[in-house]
Coordinates of all heavy atoms in Angstrom, one line a residue:
D1 N 0.8 -1.2 0.0 CA 0.0 0.0 0.0 C 0.9 1.3 0.0 O 0.6 2.2 -0.7 CB -1.0 0.0 1.2 CG -0.3 -0.1 2.5 OD1 0.8 -0.8 2.6 OD2 -0.8 0.4 3.5
V2 N 1.9 1.2 0.8 CA 2.9 2.4 0.8 C 3.6 2.5 -0.5 O 3.7 3.6 -1.1 CB 3.9 2.2 2.0 CG1 5.0 3.3 1.9 CG2 3.2 2.2 3.3
W3 N 4.0 1.4 -1.1 CA 4.7 1.5 -2.4 C 3.8 2.0 -3.5 O 4.2 2.8 -4.3 CB 5.3 0.1 -2.7 CG 6.2 0.1 -3.9 CD1 6.0 -0.4 -5.1 CD2 7.5 0.7 -3.9 NE1 7.1 -0.1 -5.9 CE2 8.0 0.5 -5.2 CE3 8.3 1.3 -2.9 CZ2 9.3 0.9 -5.5 CZ3 9.6 1.7 -3.3 CH2 10.1 1.5 -4.6
H4 N 2.6 1.5 -3.5 CA 1.6 2.0 -4.6 C 1.4 3.5 -4.4 O 1.2 4.2 -5.4 CB 0.4 1.2 -4.5 CG 0.5 -0.2 -5.1 ND1 -0.5 -1.1 -5.1 CD2 1.6 -0.8 -5.6 CE1 0.0 -2.2 -5.6 NE2 1.2 -2.1 -5.9
T5 N 1.3 4.0 -3.2 CA 1.1 5.4 -2.9 C 2.3 6.2 -3.5 O 2.1 7.2 -4.2 CB 0.9 5.7 -1.4 OG1 -0.3 5.0 -1.0 CG2 0.8 7.2 -1.2
L6 N 3.5 5.7 -3.2 CA 4.7 6.4 -3.7 C 4.7 6.4 -5.3 O 5.0 7.4 -5.9 CB 5.9 5.7 -3.2 CG 6.5 6.1 -1.9 CD1 7.6 5.2 -1.4 CD2 6.9 7.5 -1.9
M7 N 4.4 5.2 -5.9 CA 4.4 5.1 -7.3 C 3.4 6.1 -7.9 O 3.7 6.8 -8.9 CB 4.0 3.7 -7.8 CG 5.2 2.8 -7.6 SD 4.9 1.2 -8.4 CE 3.3 0.7 -7.9
K8 N 2.1 6.1 -7.4 CA 1.1 7.0 -7.9 C 1.5 8.5 -7.8 O 1.3 9.3 -8.7 CB -0.2 6.8 -7.2 CG -0.9 5.5 -7.6 CD -2.2 5.3 -6.9 CE -2.8 4.0 -7.2 NZ -4.0 3.7 -6.4
R9 N 2.1 8.8 -6.6 CA 2.5 10.2 -6.4 C 3.6 10.6 -7.4 O 3.6 11.7 -7.9 CB 3.0 10.3 -4.9 CG 3.1 11.7 -4.4 CD 3.6 11.8 -3.0 NE 2.7 11.2 -2.1 CZ 3.1 10.5 -1.0 NH1 4.3 10.5 -0.7 NH2 2.2 10.0 -0.2
G10 N 4.5 9.7 -7.6 CA 5.6 10.0 -8.6 C 5.1 10.1 -10.0 O 5.6 11.0 -10.8
M11 N 4.2 9.3 -10.4 CA 3.7 9.3 -11.7 C 2.8 10.5 -12.0 O 2.6 10.8 -13.2 CB 3.0 8.0 -12.0 CG 3.9 6.8 -12.2 SD 3.2 5.3 -12.7 CE 2.3 4.7 -11.3
T12 N 2.2 11.0 -11.0 CA 1.3 12.2 -11.2 C 1.9 13.5 -10.9 O 1.3 14.5 -11.1 CB 0.0 12.0 -10.3 OG1 0.4 12.0 -8.9 CG2 -0.8 10.8 -10.7
A13 N 3.2 13.5 -10.5 CA 3.9 14.8 -10.3 C 4.2 15.5 -11.6 O 4.4 14.8 -12.6 CB 5.2 14.5 -9.5
D14 N 4.1 16.8 -11.5 CA 4.3 17.6 -12.7 C 5.8 18.0 -12.8 O 6.2 18.9 -12.0 CB 3.4 18.8 -12.7 CG 3.5 19.7 -13.9 OD1 4.3 19.4 -14.8 OD2 2.8 20.7 -14.0
F15 N 6.6 17.4 -13.6 CA 8.0 17.7 -13.8 C 8.2 18.5 -15.1 O 9.3 18.6 -15.6 CB 8.8 16.5 -13.8 CG 8.8 15.7 -12.5 CD1 8.1 14.5 -12.4 CD2 9.5 16.2 -11.4 CE1 8.1 13.8 -11.3 CE2 9.4 15.5 -10.2 CZ 8.8 14.3 -10.2
S16 N 7.2 19.1 -15.6 CA 7.3 19.8 -16.9 C 8.1 21.1 -16.8 O 8.2 21.7 -15.8 CB 5.9 20.1 -17.4 OG 5.3 21.2 -16.7
W17 N 8.6 21.5 -18.0 CA 9.3 22.8 -18.0 C 8.4 24.0 -17.7 O 8.8 25.0 -17.2 CB 10.0 23.0 -19.4 CG 11.3 22.2 -19.5 CD1 11.5 21.1 -20.2 CD2 12.5 22.4 -18.7 NE1 12.8 20.6 -20.0 CE2 13.4 21.4 -19.1 CE3 12.9 23.4 -17.8 CZ2 14.7 21.4 -18.6 CZ3 14.2 23.3 -17.3 CH2 15.0 22.3 -17.7
N18 N 7.1 23.9 -18.1 CA 6.2 24.9 -17.9 C 6.1 25.2 -16.4 O 6.1 26.3 -15.9 CB 4.8 24.6 -18.5 CG 4.8 24.8 -20.0 OD1 5.6 25.5 -20.5 ND2 3.9 24.1 -20.6
K19 N 6.0 24.1 -15.6 CA 5.9 24.3 -14.1 C 7.2 24.8 -13.6 O 7.1 25.7 -12.7 CB 5.5 22.9 -13.5 CG 5.3 23.0 -12.0 CD 4.9 21.7 -11.4 CE 4.6 21.7 -10.0 NZ 5.7 22.1 -9.1
S20 N 8.3 24.3 -14.0 CA 9.6 24.7 -13.5 C 9.8 26.2 -13.8 O 10.2 27.0 -13.0 CB 10.7 23.9 -14.1 OG 10.6 22.6 -13.7
A21 N 9.5 26.6 -15.0 CA 9.7 28.0 -15.5 C 8.8 28.9 -14.6 O 9.2 30.0 -14.2 CB 9.3 28.1 -16.9
A22 N 7.6 28.5 -14.4 CA 6.7 29.3 -13.6 C 7.2 29.5 -12.1 O 7.1 30.6 -11.5 CB 5.3 28.7 -13.5
E23 N 7.8 28.4 -11.6 CA 8.4 28.5 -10.2 C 9.6 29.4 -10.2 O 9.7 30.2 -9.3 CB 8.7 27.1 -9.7 CG 7.5 26.3 -9.4 CD 7.8 24.8 -9.0 OE1 9.0 24.5 -9.0 OE2 6.9 24.1 -8.8
Y24 N 10.4 29.4 -11.3 CA 11.5 30.3 -11.3 C 11.1 31.7 -11.5 O 11.6 32.6 -10.8 CB 12.5 29.9 -12.5 CG 13.5 28.9 -12.2 CD1 13.4 27.6 -12.7 CD2 14.5 29.1 -11.3 CE1 14.3 26.6 -12.4 CE2 15.4 28.2 -11.0 CZ 15.3 26.9 -11.5 OH 16.3 26.0 -11.2
L25 N 10.0 32.0 -12.3 CA 9.5 33.3 -12.4 C 9.0 33.9 -11.1 O 9.3 35.0 -10.7 CB 8.4 33.4 -13.5 CG 8.8 33.4 -14.9 CD1 7.6 33.3 -15.8 CD2 9.6 34.7 -15.2
D26 N 8.3 33.0 -10.4 CA 7.8 33.4 -9.0 C 9.0 33.8 -8.1 O 8.9 34.8 -7.4 CB 7.0 32.3 -8.4 CG 5.6 32.2 -9.1 OD1 5.2 33.1 -9.8 OD2 5.0 31.1 -8.9
L27 N 10.0 32.9 -8.1 CA 11.2 33.2 -7.3 C 11.9 34.5 -7.7 O 12.2 35.4 -6.8 CB 12.2 32.1 -7.4 CG 13.5 32.2 -6.7 CD1 13.3 32.3 -5.2 CD2 14.5 31.1 -7.1
Y28 N 12.1 34.8 -9.0 CA 12.7 36.0 -9.4 C 11.9 37.2 -9.0 O 12.4 38.2 -8.6 CB 13.0 36.0 -10.9 CG 13.9 34.9 -11.4 CD1 13.8 34.3 -12.6 CD2 15.0 34.5 -10.5 CE1 14.7 33.3 -13.0 CE2 15.8 33.5 -10.9 CZ 15.7 32.9 -12.2 OH 16.6 31.9 -12.6
R29 N 10.5 37.1 -9.2 CA 9.7 38.2 -8.8 C 9.8 38.5 -7.3 O 9.8 39.7 -6.9 CB 8.2 37.9 -9.2 CG 8.0 38.0 -10.7 CD 6.5 37.8 -11.1 NE 6.4 37.9 -12.5 CZ 5.8 36.9 -13.3 NH1 5.4 35.8 -12.7 NH2 5.8 37.1 -14.6
Q30 N 9.8 37.4 -6.5 CA 10.0 37.6 -5.0 C 11.3 38.3 -4.7 O 11.4 39.2 -3.8 CB 9.9 36.3 -4.3 CG 8.6 35.7 -4.3 CD 8.6 34.3 -3.7 OE1 9.5 34.0 -2.9 NE2 7.6 33.5 -4.0
L31 N 12.4 38.0 -5.4 CA 13.7 38.6 -5.2 C 13.7 40.1 -5.6 O 14.4 40.9 -5.0 CB 14.8 37.8 -6.0 CG 15.0 36.4 -5.5 CD1 16.0 35.7 -6.4 CD2 15.6 36.4 -4.1

């Protein structure tokens, strides 16, 4: 049950460049 939770969480995580770029923009704006 723990392993399946980890697998699902990893497979549904958003690792896209769009998400990363948005996070960088937020960081730069905060700075």
Side-chain angles (χ1 to χ4, degrees):
D1 56 330
V2 172
W3 191 252
H4 287 179
T5 299
L6 275 172
M7 285 192 309
K8 287 178 186 176
R9 198 179 296 147
M11 288 187 284
T12 59
D14 184 357
F15 295 108
S16 70
W17 280 111
N18 288 336
K19 182 176 185 298
S20 297
E23 290 175 0
Y24 275 112
L25 281 173
D26 288 342
L27 175 63
Y28 297 149
R29 287 183 181 124
Q30 289 175 24
L31 293 172

